[in-house]
Amino acid sequence: MKNKIRKSLLEQGQLLSDDSILDKNIKIQSSAIDNIDIRSSKNILLYFPYKKEITLDILIKEIGRHSNNIYMPKLISDIEMKFNFFDKNNLFTKNKYGITEIDNENYLDPISFDLMFIPFVGVDNAGFRLGYGGGYFDRALEGLNKNKPILIGLGYDYQVSEKSFGEPHDIRYDIVITENNIHRFK
């Protein structure tokens, strides 16, 4: 079932025009800045956008204004992901999927984050994340419980499903922000 949902959502994403994407990206990032306490969050996980995921240029500038630490995902092996420090002076590489990564080994444990912005292909009505199917984020964040960072997803309205497809091992968002809505879960 997840593969069918994933395929359908990815196909819908390909239909978005560049102008529509730009407008929605600005709206979504602005809403995140207005509704999430970035200022008092010391360690924040972001991501390098892949395909038509929400860009984070406005968020990066806002976080930089507050001298907060930004970290990005990095694949360590075929099953492991870690989160390393972002510095615009670092060297960048592409991983096996063509996603940009930072070439350093300055990692931070997930429990030390205040906010984690995690991309998605889809999210169900209970806040469970549907990714690309590799399970990297699920494995990297397993074991986090009540003292976990706030998990935030940024996406488009069409990516939020009325159906349930989450499984116990899937990441569950606290907040998902789209161009027209703020969904709070839990």
Side-chain angles (χ1 to χ4, degrees):
M1 179 174 89
K2 280 185 172 182
N3 284 335
K4 285 182 183 180
I5 294 169
R6 182 180 294 113
K7 184 179 180 200
S8 171
L9 290 171
L10 289 171
E11 287 171 355
Q12 288 179 62
Q14 295 306 310
L15 300 175
L16 295 174
S17 71
D18 289 343
D19 287 341
S20 172
I21 288 172
L22 182 61
D23 290 344
K24 290 176 183 181
N25 271 263
I26 291 169
K27 246 179 143 172
I28 292 164
Q29 289 183 80
S30 297
S31 182
I33 290 167
D34 292 344
N35 291 284
I36 295 172
D37 183 14
I38 291 171
R39 176 172 288 169
S40 65
S41 299
K42 182 181 177 195
N43 296 313
I44 301 173
L45 178 73
L46 297 179
Y47 57 87
F48 289 107
Y50 179 62
K51 297 188 178 181
K52 299 207 177 189
E53 290 173 345
I54 304 303
T55 58
L56 301 176
D57 52 323
I58 298 169
L59 263 172
I60 289 172
K61 286 179 187 168
E62 180 67 18
I63 292 166
R65 288 182 50 227
H66 304 292
S67 299
N68 303 12
N69 299 320
I70 297 174
Y71 290 79
M72 298 289 197
K74 180 179 181 180
L75 299 185
I76 305 304
S77 71
D78 285 342
I79 60 167
E80 186 180 11
M81 171 189 282
K82 289 187 177 183
F83 309 110
N84 61 345
F85 185 71
F86 172 77
D87 179 339
K88 61 184 175 219
N89 297 319
N90 283 125
L91 295 176
F92 299 96
T93 59
K94 298 274 185 186
N95 66 24
K96 67 182 183 178
Y97 300 107
I99 301 170
T100 302
E101 293 181 333
I102 300 166
D103 191 16
N104 74 38
E105 295 183 9
N106 186 356
Y107 302 118
L108 187 67
D109 189 275
I111 196 69
S112 298
F113 284 97
D114 299 298
L115 303 174
M116 298 183 95
F117 289 85
I118 299 173
F120 60 87
V121 173
V123 62
D124 77 3
N125 58 5
F128 286 103
R129 175 183 181 268
L130 177 66
Y132 287 95
Y136 289 100
F137 278 104
D138 294 324
R139 284 188 297 275
L141 301 180
E142 71 184 351
L144 288 180
N145 42 34
K146 65 180 179 178
N147 292 327
K148 71 176 184 58
I150 297 170
L151 303 182
I152 303 157
L154 305 177
Y156 305 106
D157 284 331
Y158 79 86
Q159 292 176 286
V160 180
S161 174
E162 294 299 316
K163 298 177 182 174
S164 287
F165 51 72
E167 298 176 70
H169 65 271
D170 291 333
I171 289 173
R172 189 170 182 207
Y173 287 107
D174 296 296
I175 302 167
V176 170
I177 298 174
T178 64
E179 67 268 29
N180 293 310
N181 294 293
I182 298 174
H183 305 272
R184 296 184 188 276
F185 303 100
K186 297 189 180 179

